[in-house]
């Protein structure tokens, strides 16, 4: 199964870019090769057993940055596919891709200065981190289930502000040309975004579960767990640190959602699942507490707090998508809902003709429930009952809904589907609830949607294809600015290039020595080029300058930080 552009929903296509393989520098390639060299050795012993075969089965090459087209072809064997995206994409878009069994892979490559960890999505994290474990069927199913559930979660406007703050800070930190002042500015914006969080939304709860499983999950027993989380599989430093006794290991259960996380820091505790099937069971328990399954007043409360586009589903057939502004209850049941901003009306998940956001530009409101006289919703009325209520074109109707909501108006259109009334369009319409006017005749025509019980409330629009087709600039993704890509040193890159092009080490020793001398003279703080030289000459009888390289690298090891430990791991393999 190939990923065909026509098979991807239009609103997701805007996040997809072409992997420009020629943009990777020789430094990028050296960085990838070093990470994978020490990772494969470490994770063969410390990751889930599927990791090693998963690399091969999903097209993750070791000695060069992988081609996303190849990963896609390999993932097709598991019923999955892959697309290339640029950097951060909104969480709801990422989850929708995942629910469709599509792995979005960020094309960027971290700099070697941030080799042990970067908060910005890059191809190390997205490919070498996420892809290999998909080779396990149970884990693959968990990802699909999680994507479907998370794409239904209600995300708040506060969540979106936090997402943009994290994205901007991560991008700015990954740039080599970033100043201290710029970092401080974006850090303050992130602090403000955190400070403005007033409650834990459904999306935030799901993101915590994602963090402690998909990103930072351990599997097996508490005493000697194995790694499967992509954040750990792509973090040279934390993957080693996380297995230390100083990091608390807790059994995975729903309690994990009570633990917050900081993407810029290593985690103080991690959660261990006994099996991947246990992940799915825990996820299903969480889903039962969500608005898309509960509906009713609970769901409307979450949607009003969120101030983002949500969908109200009536009787599993009718959907109203917009920003939920308010609602009215009667005996604990919603009897009226109101949205603000562009709103879409759907029937069985498809936009009703002429009921999209270009028509309902400023919102929509509607009474819901049973017609009091017959204790039935409009779509359940038989022909005799419809006639008794005057439901005919050009006739005036007077409805009273449960909870004392009264509707009066002249019918101009009757929309039907499968023999049932879907929408009544009224002119001269007046809607009152006790002494309050809910709709005034001067506001124009009114579309009365049929439906009784709110079975579900979930995040995002119902018919995304049509909603975003008409949305113009509403919620448009801010595209990654390629000009902000890391500025690299061309002279240093040329040294890496010269090394990469050497075919016969013995015949090129003088050339390698010259590269070494240029490196220590022009780039005294660059360790990766020294490691590349040492690796290349490891089977040659040591010259004095090779010994100098070992001494210089061992000095970095003495720092006993993540980079020093990573270099030590690399040296141990030579």
């Amino acid at each position: 199964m190939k990923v065909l552009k026509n098979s991807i929903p239009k609103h997701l296509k805007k996040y997809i870019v072409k992997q420009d393989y020629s943009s990777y520098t020789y430094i990028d390639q050296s960085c990838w090769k070093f990470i994978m060299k020490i990772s494969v050795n470490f994770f063969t012993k410390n990751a889930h057993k599927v990791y090693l075969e998963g690399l091969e089965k999903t097209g993750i090459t070791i000695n060069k940055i992988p081609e996303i087209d190849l990963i896609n072809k390999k993932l097709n064997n598991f019923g999955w596919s892959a697309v290339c995206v640029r950097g951060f994409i909104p969480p709801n878009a990422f989850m929708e891709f995942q629910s469709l069994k599509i792995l979005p892979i960020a094309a960027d490559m971290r700099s070697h200065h941030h080799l042990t960890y970067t908060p910005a999505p890059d191809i190390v994290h997205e490919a070498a981190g996420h892809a290999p474990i998909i080779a396990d069927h149970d884990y693959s199913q968990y990802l699909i289930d999680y994507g479907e559930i998370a794409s239904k979660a209600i995300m708040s406007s506060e969540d979106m502000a936090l997402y943009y703050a994290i994205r901007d800070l991560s991008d700015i930190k990954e740039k080599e040309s970033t100043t201290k002042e710029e970092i401080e500015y974006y850090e303050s914006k992130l602090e403000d975004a955190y400070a403005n969080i007033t409650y834990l939304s459904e999306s935030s709860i799901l993101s915590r579960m994602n963090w402690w499983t998909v990103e930072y999950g351990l599997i097996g027993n508490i005493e000697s767990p194995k790694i499967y989380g992509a954040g750990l599989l792509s973090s040279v430093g934390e993957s080693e640190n996380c297995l230390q006794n100083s990091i608390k290991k807790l059994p995975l259960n729903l309690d994990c959602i009570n633990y917050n996380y900081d993407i810029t820091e290593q985690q103080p505790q991690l959660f261990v699942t006994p099996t991947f099937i246990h992940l799915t069971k825990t996820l299903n328990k969480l889903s039962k507490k969500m608005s898309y399954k509960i509906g009713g007043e609970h769901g409307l409360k979450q949607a009003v707090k969120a101030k983002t586009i949500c969908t109200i589903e009536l009787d599993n057939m009718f959907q109203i998508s917009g920003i939920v502004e308010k609602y009215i209850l009667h005996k604990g049941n919603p009897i009226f809902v109101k949205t603000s901003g562009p709103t879409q009306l759907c029937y069985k998940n498809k936009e009703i003709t002429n009921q999209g956001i270009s028509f309902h530009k400023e919102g929509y409101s509607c009474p819901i429930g049973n017609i009091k006289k017959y204790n039935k919703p409009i779509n359940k009325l038989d022909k005799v009952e419809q006639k008794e209520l005057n439901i005919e074109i050009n006739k005036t109707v007077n409805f009273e809904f449960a909870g004392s909501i009264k509707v009066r108006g002249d019918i101009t259109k009757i929309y039907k589907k499968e023999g049932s009334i879907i929408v009544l369009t009224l002119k001269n319409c007046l809607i009152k609830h006790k002494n309050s006017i809910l709709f005034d005749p001067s506001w124009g025509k009114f579309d009365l949607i049929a439906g009784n019980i709110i079975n579900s409330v979930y995040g995002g629009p119902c018919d995304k294809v049509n909603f975003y087709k008409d949305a113009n600039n509403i919620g448009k993704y801010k595209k990654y600015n390629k000009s902000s890509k890391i500025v690299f040193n061309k002279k240093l890159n040329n040294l890496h290039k010269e090394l990469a092009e050497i075919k016969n080490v013995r015949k090129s020793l003088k050339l390698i020595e010259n590269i070494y001398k240029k490196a220590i003279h022009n780039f005294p703080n660059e360790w990766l080029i020294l490691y590349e030289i040492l690796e290349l000459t490891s089977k040659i009888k040591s010259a004095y300058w090779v010994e100098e390289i070992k001494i210089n690298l061992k000095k970095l090891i003495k720092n006993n930080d993540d980079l020093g430990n990573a270099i030590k791991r690399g040296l141990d393999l030579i």
Side-chain angles (χ1 to χ4, degrees), residues 204-218:
S204 297
I205 292 170
L206 264 291
S207 71
R208 287 184 179 186
M209 183 155 187
N210 182 73
W211 187 262
W212 300 123
T213 59
V214 174
E215 295 294 350
Y216 282 82
L218 300 176

Side-chain angles (χ1 to χ4, degrees), residues 272-494:
V272 184
T273 181
T275 64
F276 289 136
I277 291 176
H278 179 71
L279 295 181
T280 301
K281 290 179 179 178
T282 307
L283 176 65
N284 289 336
K285 287 180 184 177
L286 178 58
S287 72
K288 291 176 183 177
K289 300 181 178 183
M290 293 176 61
S291 299
Y292 86 97
K293 283 197 172 177
I294 298 174
E297 181 189 6
H298 173 87
L300 292 175
K301 268 186 181 178
Q302 295 298 317
V304 170
K305 278 198 295 185
K307 299 177 183 176
T308 54
I309 295 164
C310 293
T311 294
I312 301 166
E313 185 170 274
L314 306 169
D315 306 341
N316 298 323
M317 291 187 291
F318 307 94
Q319 294 89 16
I320 304 167
S321 297
I323 297 174
V324 183
E325 185 179 293
K326 70 175 185 178
Y327 55 91
I328 298 172
L329 298 175
H330 174 66
K331 295 182 179 180
N333 296 314
I335 57 171
F336 181 83
V337 292
K338 182 179 183 348
T339 67
S340 62
T343 300
Q344 174 192 62
L345 304 186
C346 296
Y347 176 72
K348 291 188 175 180
N349 302 311
K350 293 293 182 183
E351 184 176 286
I352 300 170
T353 305
N354 299 322
Q355 298 292 332
I357 66 172
S358 58
F359 183 72
H360 297 288
K361 295 177 183 177
E362 298 178 0
Y364 175 76
S365 63
C366 190
I368 54 176
N370 292 331
I371 301 295
K372 193 173 180 180
K373 183 175 180 180
Y374 299 107
N375 197 31
K376 289 182 182 179
I378 291 172
N379 59 307
K380 300 290 186 183
L381 297 172
D382 61 34
K383 291 183 179 180
V384 174
E385 292 164 340
Q386 290 177 29
K387 188 171 183 180
E388 288 178 354
L389 289 171
N390 261 3
I391 299 178
E392 293 180 31
I393 300 292
N394 297 324
K395 288 204 173 182
T396 301
V397 292
N398 279 284
F399 298 143
E400 183 174 353
F401 287 83
S404 301
I405 292 183
K406 296 180 180 180
V407 177
R408 183 187 183 283
D410 305 324
I411 297 178
T412 61
K413 284 184 182 178
I414 300 175
Y415 293 83
K416 287 188 176 183
K417 285 279 187 181
E418 301 169 11
S420 295
I421 296 171
I422 304 303
V423 180
L424 294 178
T425 300
L426 309 174
K427 67 178 181 179
N428 303 320
C429 182
L430 175 67
I431 303 177
K432 295 182 71 175
H433 176 239
K434 298 177 181 178
N435 295 321
S436 299
I437 293 176
L438 301 178
F439 192 89
D440 187 275
S442 64
W443 298 349
K445 290 183 178 180
F446 180 81
D447 292 299
L448 180 62
I449 193 170
N452 183 15
I453 299 169
I454 295 178
N455 285 330
S456 178
V457 181
Y458 56 86
C462 174
D463 183 347
K464 294 183 176 71
V465 172
N466 283 304
F467 190 96
Y468 290 118
K469 178 186 70 176
D470 293 337
N472 296 322
N473 293 321
I474 299 167
K476 265 200 173 179
Y477 176 63
K478 298 177 182 178
K479 288 189 178 176
Y480 182 91
N481 181 4
K482 195 173 181 180
S483 64
S484 67
K485 184 79 171 72
I486 299 162
V487 177
F488 70 95
N489 190 301
K490 290 183 179 179
K491 288 184 179 180
L492 178 61
N493 191 62
N494 284 335

